[in-house]
């Protein structure tokens, strides 16, 4: 996948840092916004694994650090839950202004609660997935119960969460109490997927039941059996990501992939807004051709000349291996490394013109097996007899008709 560093500002003008992950060899069909868990950051292994699973299915994913966490600016002790919701809205605006507005919102733990609140204000969001989310934002008080008296009396306290110290102010707890999650969930009117582990020791499974009851259809629940709250096992987080990707496609608009049909061996199709990214139907196979970014392309697929080089390489290994088998020679493996370029002509009718160049394929062959020198020499001769090699050397004609 393609990972880009991004920066945008929250409503107070502080810079928030994120990572935008894009799928390989295609433009994202939809963008996803990821809200990480309470006191976590964008680089939590679960967040990265879920994002990877989504990009493999063609989604673009923006994961970022909330104000005062990770690489983002600001002081965590001065933040609150409403600020997290505001950060998500600003992240959505960043995507809308620079790419395409996100349609899927994912929230982990308290980030799941923030995702539901933010989705209620974002018309572009069509579907929400929560992972280990609380049914009431005040559940955070359970994590802080040993410090509640100090927070209420002193206005703040240093709290150790997951081995790290955080300063929690009373305004954070007061803000949580003013946000009624069940009521917002009830009026959401968007597709909701609730993922939760029955073994979650931080946010109990009862929370998933309460969220599900509060939500309207379409709603779904999936048990992440055996997983911990942070989805620290790679198999758990990858499973969650793949599940979300499959579920979300039912509620999002995906571009229709046009089926290319032809009576010829190959058909190529290119829309004017696609640059050089060309759809191919080669026999029974769908492929993509493109140009490198240095030439103005997206590099979503091989260039036309790389396809020609690939044809020469493939034909060479097939022809040589077939000959060796017929001769019962011990050719365990053959590799053909091919490059294309235009080089100065050493012997052609325009050789006196130093600018004259001809198409040149450089082909390096590696033979592995128990072969003597004569066998190797003969196999190199056979390589020059492969059909594609002959085609490139022979006079050809291209008959063009207008359909």
């Amino acid at each position: 996948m393609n990972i880009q560093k991004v920066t945008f500002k929250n409503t107070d003008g502080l810079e928030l840092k994120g990572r935008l992950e894009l799928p390989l060899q295609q433009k994202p069909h939809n963008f996803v916004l990821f809200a990480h868990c309470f006191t976590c950051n964008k680089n939590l292994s679960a967040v990265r694994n879920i994002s990877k699973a989504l990009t493999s299915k063609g989604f673009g994913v923006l994961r970022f650090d909330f104000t005062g966490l990770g690489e983002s600016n600001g002081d965590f002790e001065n933040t609150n839950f409403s600020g997290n919701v505001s950060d998500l809205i600003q992240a959505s605006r960043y995507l809308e202004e620079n790419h395409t507005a996100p349609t899927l919102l994912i929230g982990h733990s308290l980030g799941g609660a923030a995702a539901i609140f933010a989705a209620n204000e974002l018309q572009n969001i069509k579907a929400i997935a929560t992972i280990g989310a609380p049914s009431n934002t005040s559940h955070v008080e359970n994590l802080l119960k040993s410090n509640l008296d100090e927070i209420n009396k002193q206005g703040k306290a240093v709290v150790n969460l997951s081995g790290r110290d955080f300063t929690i102010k009373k305004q954070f707890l007061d803000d949580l109490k003013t946000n009624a999650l069940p009521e917002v969930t009830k009026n959401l009117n968007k597709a909701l997927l609730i993922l939760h582990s029955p073994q979650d020791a931080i946010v109990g499974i009862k929370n998933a039941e309460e969220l599900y009851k509060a939500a309207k259809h379409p709603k779904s629940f999936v048990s992440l059996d055996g997983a911990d709250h942070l989805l620290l096992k790679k198999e758990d987080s990858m499973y969650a990501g793949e599940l979300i990707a499959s579920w979300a496609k039912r509620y999002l608009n995906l571009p229709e992939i046009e089926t290319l049909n032809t009576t010829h061996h190959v058909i190529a199709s290119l829309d004017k807004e696609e640059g050089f990214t060309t759809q191919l139907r080669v026999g029974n196979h769908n492929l993509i051709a493109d140009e490198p970014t240095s030439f103005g392309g997206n590099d979503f697929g091989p260039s036309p000349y790389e396809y020609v080089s690939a044809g020469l390489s493939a034909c060479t290994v097939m022809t040589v291996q077939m000959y060796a088998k017929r001769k019962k020679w011990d050719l365990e493996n053959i590799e053909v490394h091919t490059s294309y370029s235009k080089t100065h002509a050493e012997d052609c009718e325009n050789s006196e013109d130093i600018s004259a160049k001809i198409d040149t394929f450089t082909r390096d062959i590696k033979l592995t097996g128990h072969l003597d020198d004569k066998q190797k020499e003969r196999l190199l001769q056979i390589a020059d007899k492969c059909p594609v090699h002959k085609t490139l050397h022979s006079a050809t004609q291209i008959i063009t008709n207008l359909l």
Side-chain angles (χ1 to χ4, degrees):
M1 68 193 141
N2 176 13
I3 302 179
Q4 303 175 3
K5 292 183 179 181
V6 302
T7 300
F8 58 96
K9 293 183 178 181
N10 67 6
T11 53
D12 293 325
L14 296 171
E15 287 192 343
L16 305 183
K17 304 288 186 178
R19 297 290 184 273
L20 181 61
E21 301 187 27
L22 303 173
L24 292 175
Q25 299 185 344
Q26 69 176 89
K27 294 178 180 178
H29 53 69
N30 282 269
F31 278 90
V32 183
L33 194 52
F34 202 117
H36 61 69
C37 59
F38 180 52
T39 72
C40 297
N41 62 60
K42 66 183 180 306
N43 294 321
L44 182 73
S45 61
V47 178
R48 289 187 283 106
N49 290 335
I50 291 171
S51 297
K52 182 178 180 181
L54 287 160
T55 55
S56 71
K57 301 299 183 181
F59 290 89
V61 184
L62 174 58
R63 49 184 171 92
F64 71 99
D65 293 325
F66 286 125
T67 300
L69 291 171
E71 296 179 296
S72 291
N73 293 340
D75 295 320
F76 177 79
E77 64 181 270
N78 293 323
T79 64
N80 54 27
F81 178 76
S82 296
N84 288 350
V85 175
S86 177
D87 287 351
L88 280 171
I89 294 174
Q90 291 301 109
S92 176
R93 289 174 180 167
Y94 169 83
L95 282 176
E96 184 174 8
E97 293 171 1
N98 294 275
H99 300 276
T100 302
T103 53
L104 173 61
L105 193 47
I106 301 175
H108 187 186
S109 192
L110 191 62
I116 291 175
F117 272 92
N120 195 49
E121 298 186 39
L122 294 170
Q123 296 301 315
N124 47 284
I125 297 297
K126 306 300 180 186
I128 308 102
T130 65
I131 304 169
S135 57
N136 196 307
T137 54
S138 61
H139 101 100
V140 175
E141 291 186 0
N142 294 327
L143 301 177
L144 311 174
K145 56 187 176 182
S146 61
N147 302 89
L148 284 179
D149 287 343
E150 183 181 354
I151 293 173
N152 288 322
K153 290 179 181 179
Q154 304 296 328
K156 64 180 180 180
V158 177
V159 179
N160 188 278
L161 297 169
S162 302
R164 297 171 60 198
D165 288 338
F166 295 91
T167 298
I168 305 293
K169 287 187 175 180
K170 186 175 182 297
Q171 57 97 11
F172 191 101
L173 299 181
D174 292 341
D175 181 62
L176 288 174
K177 292 176 181 178
T178 63
N179 290 280
L181 183 59
E183 190 65 25
V184 174
T185 304
K186 180 180 178 181
N187 298 316
L188 195 57
N189 292 321
K190 297 181 181 182
L192 176 65
L193 171 63
I194 301 167
L195 299 99
H196 213 115
S197 169
Q199 293 81 24
D200 193 327
I202 305 298
V203 180
I205 189 67
K206 184 72 174 178
N207 287 269
E209 179 184 354
E210 292 173 352
L211 274 179
Y212 187 85
K213 287 182 177 179
K216 295 178 181 178
H217 284 290
K219 56 183 178 180
S220 304
F221 168 76
V222 174
S223 174
L224 299 176
D225 189 36
D228 63 288
H229 179 66
L230 294 180
L231 304 187
L232 294 179
K233 293 180 182 177
K234 183 177 181 180
E235 57 266 33
D236 292 331
S237 52
M238 291 298 291
Y239 171 69
E242 291 166 359
L243 247 171
I244 294 171
S246 297
W247 168 84
K249 289 181 178 180
R250 190 177 185 90
Y251 304 102
L252 305 179
N253 293 324
L254 272 67
E256 292 186 11
I257 300 176
E258 182 182 358
T259 301
L260 300 176
N261 295 305
T262 182
T263 56
H264 294 269
H265 299 122
V266 177
I267 177 175
S269 176
L270 177 60
D271 294 332
K272 65 179 181 179
E273 66 271 13
E274 293 300 325
F276 294 110
T277 305
T278 302
Q279 302 300 317
L280 297 173
R281 179 74 175 176
V282 183
N284 295 320
H285 309 283
N286 293 311
L287 303 173
I288 293 176
D290 209 334
E291 291 287 356
T293 54
S294 59
F295 195 72
N298 292 307
D299 200 23
F300 288 163
S303 70
Y305 274 112
E306 286 172 336
Y307 271 114
V308 176
S309 299
L312 177 60
S313 292
C315 187
T316 301
V317 298
M318 292 176 185
T319 302
V320 172
Q321 191 64 265
M322 181 175 63
Y323 182 86
K325 288 179 180 178
R326 188 166 68 244
K327 287 290 188 177
K328 294 184 170 49
W329 292 352
D330 185 17
L331 176 59
E332 295 178 1
N333 179 265
I334 173 175
E335 291 182 1
V336 174
H337 305 254
T338 306
S339 298
Y340 165 83
S341 64
K342 282 185 179 290
T343 60
H344 289 288
E346 295 180 358
D347 184 17
C348 68
E349 61 181 0
N350 295 318
S351 60
E352 69 277 3
D353 181 359
I354 62 173
S355 65
K357 293 183 178 181
I358 62 172
D359 296 283
T360 302
F361 291 89
T362 301
R363 181 175 55 181
D364 294 330
I365 299 177
K366 179 181 179 181
L367 302 173
T368 302
H370 296 88
L371 303 166
D372 58 36
D373 291 340
K374 288 186 177 180
Q375 290 173 326
K376 291 179 181 179
E377 183 179 354
R378 180 56 180 161
L379 291 178
L380 287 179
Q381 294 172 354
I382 295 300
D384 288 339
K385 298 181 183 297
C386 89
V388 172
H389 185 121
K390 289 183 177 180
T391 297
L392 291 172
H393 264 285
S394 64
T396 60
Q397 62 177 347
I398 300 173
I399 302 171
T400 302
N401 301 304
L402 183 63
L403 296 177

